[in-house]
Amino acid sequence: MNLTEGDKKTWRSVLRRMSREELTTDVRNRASEEICRRLIDNPKLSEAQCIGFYMPLPDEPEISAVIRHFLDAGKTVAVPRVEDAETMRFLQLRNDTDFSTDNAFGIPEPSPEDAPEISSRDFDLIVVPALAFDAAGFRLGRGKGYYDRYLALAPQAYTIGVTIGLMKPEQLPHDEWDLPMNEVYFGL
Protein backbone atom coordinates (compact mmCIF):
# COMPACT_ATOMS: atom_id res chain seq x y z
CA MET A 1 0.00 0.00 0.00
CA ASN A 2 1.23 3.48 -0.84
CA LEU A 3 1.64 5.36 2.45
CA THR A 4 0.18 8.52 0.94
CA GLU A 5 -3.09 6.59 0.68
CA GLY A 6 -2.89 5.11 4.18
CA ASP A 7 -5.28 5.58 7.03
CA LYS A 8 -4.34 6.90 10.46
CA LYS A 9 -3.80 3.42 11.90
CA THR A 10 -1.28 2.59 9.15
CA TRP A 11 0.54 5.90 9.65
CA ARG A 12 0.76 5.30 13.41
CA SER A 13 2.15 1.83 12.86
CA VAL A 14 4.82 3.12 10.46
CA LEU A 15 5.79 6.00 12.76
CA ARG A 16 5.99 3.78 15.84
CA ARG A 17 8.25 1.37 13.93
CA MET A 18 10.45 4.29 12.85
CA SER A 19 10.67 5.43 16.47
CA ARG A 20 11.76 1.98 17.63
CA GLU A 21 14.36 1.71 14.86
CA GLU A 22 15.66 5.28 14.47
CA LEU A 23 14.98 7.25 17.64
CA THR A 24 18.17 6.98 19.67
CA THR A 25 18.80 8.95 22.85
CA ASP A 26 21.15 11.23 20.89
CA VAL A 27 18.53 11.91 18.19
CA ARG A 28 15.85 12.65 20.79
CA ASN A 29 18.18 14.94 22.76
CA ARG A 30 19.22 16.85 19.65
CA ALA A 31 15.62 17.26 18.47
CA SER A 32 14.48 18.26 21.96
CA GLU A 33 17.18 20.93 22.24
CA GLU A 34 16.11 22.46 18.94
CA ILE A 35 12.44 22.50 19.92
CA CYS A 36 13.21 23.94 23.36
CA ARG A 37 15.28 26.71 21.80
CA ARG A 38 12.52 27.60 19.37
CA LEU A 39 9.82 27.57 22.05
CA ILE A 40 11.81 29.77 24.44
CA ASP A 41 12.61 32.20 21.60
CA ASN A 42 9.01 32.38 20.35
CA PRO A 43 7.44 35.76 21.19
CA LYS A 44 3.97 34.16 21.32
CA LEU A 45 5.01 32.20 24.40
CA SER A 46 6.61 35.25 26.00
CA GLU A 47 3.38 37.21 25.49
CA ALA A 48 1.09 34.41 26.72
CA GLN A 49 0.00 34.46 30.36
CA CYS A 50 -1.51 30.97 30.50
CA ILE A 51 0.33 28.17 28.68
CA GLY A 52 -0.50 24.48 28.32
CA PHE A 53 2.44 22.11 27.92
CA TYR A 54 2.71 18.31 28.06
CA MET A 55 4.75 15.73 29.92
CA PRO A 56 6.57 13.73 27.24
CA LEU A 57 6.42 10.09 26.35
CA PRO A 58 9.80 8.54 25.39
CA ASP A 59 9.24 9.24 21.67
CA GLU A 60 8.23 12.89 22.16
CA PRO A 61 10.44 15.96 22.56
CA GLU A 62 11.61 16.50 26.14
CA ILE A 63 10.53 20.04 27.08
CA SER A 64 11.06 20.23 30.85
CA ALA A 65 13.56 23.10 30.39
CA VAL A 66 10.85 25.10 28.61
CA ILE A 67 8.30 24.37 31.33
CA ARG A 68 10.82 25.47 33.99
CA HIS A 69 11.69 28.63 31.99
CA PHE A 70 8.08 29.80 31.81
CA LEU A 71 7.30 28.80 35.40
CA ASP A 72 10.28 30.88 36.52
CA ALA A 73 9.01 33.76 34.33
CA GLY A 74 5.80 33.81 36.37
CA LYS A 75 3.48 32.37 33.72
CA THR A 76 0.52 30.17 34.57
CA VAL A 77 1.71 26.77 33.34
CA ALA A 78 -0.39 23.61 33.15
CA VAL A 79 0.01 20.04 31.92
CA PRO A 80 -2.61 17.42 31.09
CA ARG A 81 -4.02 14.75 33.32
CA VAL A 82 -6.05 11.95 31.73
CA GLU A 83 -9.14 11.30 33.81
CA ASP A 84 -10.80 8.49 31.83
CA ALA A 85 -11.15 7.14 28.29
CA GLU A 86 -12.70 10.42 27.10
CA THR A 87 -11.49 13.18 29.37
CA MET A 88 -8.25 15.10 29.69
CA ARG A 89 -7.93 18.22 31.77
CA PHE A 90 -5.03 20.57 32.43
CA LEU A 91 -3.75 21.11 35.95
CA GLN A 92 -1.61 24.04 37.04
CA LEU A 93 2.02 23.44 37.89
CA ARG A 94 3.89 25.09 40.73
CA ASN A 95 7.49 24.68 41.76
CA ASP A 96 6.49 22.11 44.38
CA THR A 97 3.89 20.15 42.40
CA ASP A 98 3.93 16.41 43.12
CA PHE A 99 3.66 14.02 40.18
CA SER A 100 2.46 10.45 39.85
CA THR A 101 3.06 7.99 37.01
CA ASP A 102 0.30 5.68 38.23
CA ASN A 103 -1.73 5.87 35.01
CA ALA A 104 -2.25 3.88 31.81
CA PHE A 105 0.47 5.77 29.90
CA GLY A 106 3.14 6.02 32.62
CA ILE A 107 3.25 9.79 32.06
CA PRO A 108 4.03 12.04 35.03
CA GLU A 109 0.77 13.77 35.96
CA PRO A 110 0.07 16.26 38.74
CA SER A 111 -2.21 15.13 41.52
CA PRO A 112 -5.64 16.80 41.37
CA GLU A 113 -5.38 17.35 45.13
CA ASP A 114 -2.13 19.25 44.61
CA ALA A 115 -2.84 21.18 41.41
CA PRO A 116 -5.90 23.27 40.49
CA GLU A 117 -7.59 22.76 37.14
CA ILE A 118 -7.16 25.46 34.49
CA SER A 119 -10.24 26.12 32.36
CA SER A 120 -9.84 25.49 28.63
CA ARG A 121 -11.08 29.06 28.08
CA ASP A 122 -8.13 30.48 30.04
CA PHE A 123 -5.35 29.26 27.76
CA ASP A 124 -3.54 31.74 25.55
CA LEU A 125 -1.33 29.03 24.03
CA ILE A 126 -1.08 25.24 24.08
CA VAL A 127 1.96 23.22 22.99
CA VAL A 128 0.75 19.94 21.47
CA PRO A 129 2.86 16.81 20.87
CA ALA A 130 2.23 14.34 18.05
CA LEU A 131 3.77 11.45 16.18
CA ALA A 132 3.79 13.66 13.06
CA PHE A 133 2.40 16.82 11.51
CA ASP A 134 1.75 17.53 7.86
CA ALA A 135 2.44 20.69 5.84
CA ALA A 136 -1.00 22.11 6.73
CA GLY A 137 -0.44 21.62 10.47
CA PHE A 138 -2.72 18.61 10.93
CA ARG A 139 -1.46 16.20 13.55
CA LEU A 140 -1.31 12.47 13.87
CA GLY A 141 -1.70 11.72 17.56
CA ARG A 142 -1.94 8.44 19.37
CA GLY A 143 -5.52 7.77 18.34
CA LYS A 144 -7.42 8.38 21.58
CA GLY A 145 -8.70 11.87 20.65
CA TYR A 146 -7.78 13.57 23.92
CA TYR A 147 -6.19 16.62 22.28
CA ASP A 148 -8.86 16.79 19.56
CA ARG A 149 -11.59 17.04 22.17
CA TYR A 150 -9.66 19.45 24.40
CA LEU A 151 -8.59 21.85 21.65
CA ALA A 152 -12.21 22.10 20.49
CA LEU A 153 -12.94 23.56 23.96
CA ALA A 154 -10.11 26.11 23.64
CA PRO A 155 -10.60 27.79 20.24
CA GLN A 156 -8.96 30.99 21.50
CA ALA A 157 -5.66 29.24 22.26
CA TYR A 158 -2.80 29.62 19.81
CA THR A 159 -1.43 26.14 19.15
CA ILE A 160 2.13 25.04 18.50
CA GLY A 161 2.65 21.43 17.48
CA VAL A 162 5.94 19.73 18.29
CA THR A 163 7.38 16.45 17.09
CA ILE A 164 10.78 14.81 16.81
CA GLY A 165 10.29 14.88 13.04
CA LEU A 166 11.44 11.45 11.90
CA MET A 167 8.98 11.87 9.03
CA LYS A 168 7.60 15.07 7.53
CA PRO A 169 4.63 14.03 5.41
CA GLU A 170 3.14 16.49 2.96
CA GLN A 171 -0.37 15.36 3.88
CA LEU A 172 -1.79 13.19 6.65
CA PRO A 173 -5.29 11.75 6.76
CA HIS A 174 -7.57 13.86 8.93
CA ASP A 175 -11.21 14.04 9.92
CA GLU A 176 -13.57 17.02 10.05
CA TRP A 177 -13.00 17.40 13.81
CA ASP A 178 -9.20 17.55 13.47
CA LEU A 179 -7.84 21.06 13.97
CA PRO A 180 -4.59 22.23 12.37
CA MET A 181 -1.92 23.82 14.54
CA ASN A 182 -1.04 27.51 14.14
CA GLU A 183 2.66 26.59 14.04
CA VAL A 184 4.61 23.33 13.93
CA TYR A 185 8.17 22.65 15.10
CA PHE A 186 10.12 19.66 13.89
CA GLY A 187 13.17 18.78 15.98
CA LEU A 188 15.07 17.32 13.04
Side-chain angles (χ1 to χ4, degrees):
M1 176 170 127
N2 182 341
L3 196 54
T4 59
E5 300 170 358
D7 62 12
K8 289 181 178 184
K9 184 177 179 181
T10 302
W11 277 93
R12 284 186 191 97
S13 175
V14 168
L15 286 160
R16 286 185 180 124
R17 182 181 43 76
M18 286 180 73
S19 285
R20 284 191 304 274
E21 294 172 1
E22 300 176 28
L23 186 59
T24 64
T25 300
D26 182 57
V27 168
R28 182 181 188 229
N29 289 344
R30 201 176 46 207
S32 297
E33 286 173 15
E34 173 63 15
I35 286 169
C36 286
R37 182 191 62 75
R38 292 185 69 190
L39 289 171
I40 288 172
D41 290 346
N42 187 320
K44 292 270 190 199
L45 275 97
S46 297
E47 295 163 6
Q49 292 306 304
C50 185
I51 307 169
F53 289 107
Y54 65 92
M55 301 303 289
L57 289 167
D59 61 350
E60 295 173 340
E62 167 56 61
I63 62 166
S64 60
V66 177
I67 294 171
R68 172 66 43 214
H69 175 85
F70 288 104
L71 264 176
D72 290 347
K75 306 292 184 178
T76 299
V77 171
V79 295
R81 177 179 175 81
V82 172
E83 296 298 325
D84 55 41
E86 298 286 321
T87 310
M88 176 177 80
R89 59 189 181 130
F90 277 77
L91 302 182
Q92 184 176 355
L93 294 186
R94 296 197 172 97
N95 288 327
D96 61 349
T97 300
D98 288 326
F99 289 88
S100 170
T101 56
D102 187 23
N103 57 66
F105 303 103
I107 302 169
E109 295 178 328
S111 163
E113 295 80 31
D114 188 47
E117 181 174 2
I118 301 294
S119 169
S120 59
R121 296 178 306 279
D122 291 339
F123 283 104
D124 299 310
L125 191 146
I126 301 175
V127 177
V128 182
L131 295 170
F133 292 93
D134 68 15
F138 286 102
R139 66 186 286 277
L140 184 70
R142 304 210 174 256
K144 303 293 184 192
Y146 290 111
Y147 276 97
D148 297 320
R149 286 187 293 278
Y150 196 86
L151 294 175
L153 300 173
Q156 79 293 341
Y158 190 85
T159 53
I160 299 176
V162 297
T163 184
I164 298 292
L166 293 175
M167 184 184 285
K168 298 174 186 166
E170 186 63 29
Q171 185 175 359
L172 288 167
H174 60 273
D175 298 301
E176 67 265 7
W177 57 81
D178 291 328
L179 300 171
M181 302 292 104
N182 296 110
E183 289 183 59
V184 173
Y185 293 164
F186 295 92
L188 301 177

